[in-house]
Amino acid sequence: MADRLRGNLPAEITSFVGHAAEVADGLYALSESRLLTVTGPGGVGKSRVAARVARHARRQFPGGIWYAELSSVAGEEALTTRISQALRRPDLRTTGGIAAALRDLRALVVLDTCEHLTGPVSRLAEALLRWAPDVKVVVTGRQPLDLAGQRLLHVRPLAEPDAISLFAERAAAVDPDFDLAAVRPAVAELCRGLDGLPLALELAAACLRSQTAAEMRDRLRERCLVFTCVSTSALPRQRNLRALVDWSYALCGAEQRTLWAALSVVGGGFELETAEAIGVEAGLPEVRVAAVLGDLVDSSIVLREQNGEGVRYRMLRPFREVGLELLEARARRRLIARYGAAPASALPRQGEGLGAAATVLSPRELQVARLIAEGLTNLEIAGRLVISKRTVDAHVRNILAKGHLASRTHVAAWVTASLSSVRRSAFLPMRDIGPATFG
């Protein structure tokens, strides 16, 4: 019996890259609490982090680590059936029966992908915590459970060095001749363009069978890459980014979908005041916008980021792309004109004349972009404008996001082309400007 109860945690098939801090935080949280909820946007690596935490903690649980993947489960009865299968106890048919079976064990139960089952999973976790005193529970999902005593671990996209390492490792598995040193600038731009999202990086690496890293970087500007790369994953929601985002969209209510679509016009970060203005214009009551934004944060569709200047929010690229698709064309044009940037597909391709930077960026962002074009570093720009370097860093991130640009070099080219276009138009003779220009 003891051998049988050691658990069923799946072995890792690929290397674990990045998220070392989250794993360490998760181990500490699990030592302090009996319920750990791992949250974060789709494709960020919640399942891998939770499994790694469980694997490192295995010696604390002689009764076993019991894992159940729940993405295809619908309803309480199906949930108890899946858990009883995971425990290798098909005779267990109720939540109470599962708790009773684990009552005398020091065990860890890992419930993976629970965002569509928050009610049933909350009741199961509560029963385990109440009636099996030596059992601990790890839950993964895009939002917290409604249970007292849980500790939250929020998994964020990978920092650039880890993103590059992950892409390189997966790329080498696809192409044994892959040489990161030869294409590092293109890979770095690609990783930034994909927001360091692990699933997006793995899907992109798989595309190396038919494309180069430089080609993927260029296609990313035109939205051709974001949803086209596919995987043979056994989980339908992870076979491509579109399936992953659609999974999140299906779990949203009408208000959340409305605000999601409206906020997608914003490139880079935004503040609560901006979200409220956009939400009202999209038709939401002003008193509801903050709460709905909170729902999107809880669901990991919008990321909440704290810095020295206060709280800001941002949406990862796959969620923005779908949001832009959902907006009615007239509303999209109106909101973009007031608050955001044109979608990637609307930006000119390389060699076509970049133009329009002044219509996309705020006055301060345009000022920063012009100084980038002059070759100044962020620190030098901060000194020139008498603002903090942190503020300049934030402006640069916004410029890259709004322009769907991958590097400072692209920013310089964009601004230079825009200014050249303005100068050319300023000297056009009146007879060359047709009546439609004034319409």
Side-chain angles (χ1 to χ4, degrees):
M1 175 68 82
D3 287 342
R4 187 165 65 84
L5 289 176
R6 287 177 182 167
N8 67 338
L9 186 66
E12 292 183 327
I13 298 175
T14 57
S15 58
F16 185 86
V17 180
H19 292 318
E22 286 96 331
V23 171
D25 290 344
L27 286 167
Y28 177 76
L30 197 59
S31 71
E32 296 289 310
S33 173
R34 292 180 58 211
L35 174 60
L36 172 65
T37 302
V38 183
T39 67
V44 81
K46 300 181 293 295
S47 299
R48 292 296 301 268
V49 168
R52 178 54 67 106
V53 169
R55 188 164 284 105
H56 282 321
R58 62 187 180 277
R59 293 189 180 182
Q60 302 172 28
F61 301 103
I65 297 175
W66 301 98
Y67 170 88
E69 201 283 322
L70 305 176
S71 63
S72 62
V73 172
E76 197 141 8
E77 184 177 347
L79 173 63
T80 55
T81 299
R82 178 61 59 85
I83 302 304
S84 66
Q85 291 171 345
L87 293 172
R88 301 167 190 159
R89 290 284 306 274
D91 56 304
L92 303 175
R93 301 183 181 278
T94 65
T95 297
I98 291 170
L102 295 173
R103 180 178 298 139
D104 298 324
L105 298 177
R106 189 153 25 125
L108 178 65
V109 175
V110 181
L111 305 175
D112 188 17
T113 314
C114 300
E115 51 265 18
H116 60 304
L117 293 167
T118 52
V121 167
S122 293
R123 289 187 285 276
L124 172 62
E126 185 174 29
L128 291 173
L129 298 177
R130 185 180 297 274
W131 303 113
D134 291 324
V135 167
K136 294 191 177 187
V137 181
V138 173
V139 172
T140 78
R142 299 182 195 181
Q143 61 191 61
L145 298 181
D146 186 20
L147 282 179
Q150 73 179 325
R151 292 288 293 270
L152 295 179
L153 175 65
H154 192 71
V155 181
R156 292 190 170 272
L158 295 174
E160 186 171 313
D162 287 334
I164 292 173
S165 295
L166 176 63
F167 182 89
E169 289 205 20
R170 302 301 186 257
V174 172
D175 177 8
D177 296 324
F178 178 80
D179 181 5
L180 176 61
V183 294
R184 191 179 188 92
V187 170
E189 292 178 19
L190 185 61
C191 290
R192 287 194 292 271
L194 293 172
D195 283 322
L197 201 61
L199 179 59
L201 296 170
E202 295 196 355
L203 291 171
C207 288
L208 284 174
R209 295 184 179 94
S210 59
Q211 304 171 54
T212 67
E215 287 171 340
M216 283 192 285
R217 174 203 60 196
D218 295 339
R219 294 186 70 216
L220 188 61
R221 284 182 52 82
E222 302 168 19
R223 299 175 64 199
C224 297
L225 180 70
V226 179
F227 296 125
T228 56
C229 294
V230 296
S231 156
T232 56
S233 168
L235 299 178
R237 65 188 171 82
Q238 293 183 345
R239 288 178 184 160
N240 59 57
L241 283 179
R242 185 60 194 242
L244 180 148
V245 177
D246 285 347
W247 169 270
S248 290
Y249 185 75
L251 298 175
C252 287
E255 288 183 322
Q256 288 77 33
R257 293 176 180 180
T258 296
L259 189 59
W260 173 350
L263 291 176
S264 67
V265 303
V266 183
F270 56 90
E271 297 174 343
L272 175 60
E273 292 78 4
T274 301
E276 287 176 330
I278 292 174
V280 169
E281 188 152 349
L284 294 176
E286 184 174 2
V287 295
R288 287 288 302 149
V289 177
V292 177
L293 178 62
D295 292 339
L296 293 178
V297 171
D298 287 343
S299 300
S300 303
I301 293 162
V302 172
L303 301 185
R304 182 181 186 273
E305 299 176 330
Q306 180 92 38
N307 58 38
E309 298 177 352
V311 174
R312 288 176 65 81
Y313 303 87
R314 71 183 178 98
M315 192 180 296
L316 297 178
R317 180 167 185 157
F319 296 92
R320 285 194 63 229
E321 298 286 12
V322 169
L324 286 168
E325 287 181 12
L326 297 171
L327 271 179
E328 185 269 332
R330 185 177 302 176
R332 182 167 61 243
R333 287 193 298 269
R334 185 180 69 250
L335 289 171
I336 285 172
R338 295 191 183 185
Y339 303 106
S345 58
L347 291 176
R349 300 180 185 181
Q350 188 172 0
E352 291 181 349
L354 291 166
T359 66
V360 172
L361 305 180
S362 70
R364 176 64 93 180
E365 288 165 351
L366 185 58
Q367 200 173 18
V368 170
R370 283 172 169 162
L371 294 176
I372 290 174
E374 291 179 18
L376 274 65
T377 66
N378 286 11
L379 186 60
E380 291 168 337
I381 292 171
R384 177 79 67 88
L385 300 180
V386 196
I387 57 178
S388 72
K389 180 180 177 296
R390 182 177 294 174
T391 300
V392 175
D393 293 341
H395 285 314
V396 172
R397 287 194 298 271
N398 286 347
I399 293 165
L400 291 170
K402 285 185 176 183
H404 295 270
L405 304 171
S407 70
R408 294 168 65 90
T409 302
H410 288 171
V411 172
W414 189 29
V415 173
T416 300
S418 296
L419 294 177
S420 297
S421 176
V422 169
R423 287 199 237 15
R424 286 195 302 271
S425 63
F427 289 100
L428 282 175
M430 290 299 293
R431 65 179 179 274
D432 290 338
I433 303 178
T437 305
F438 300 100

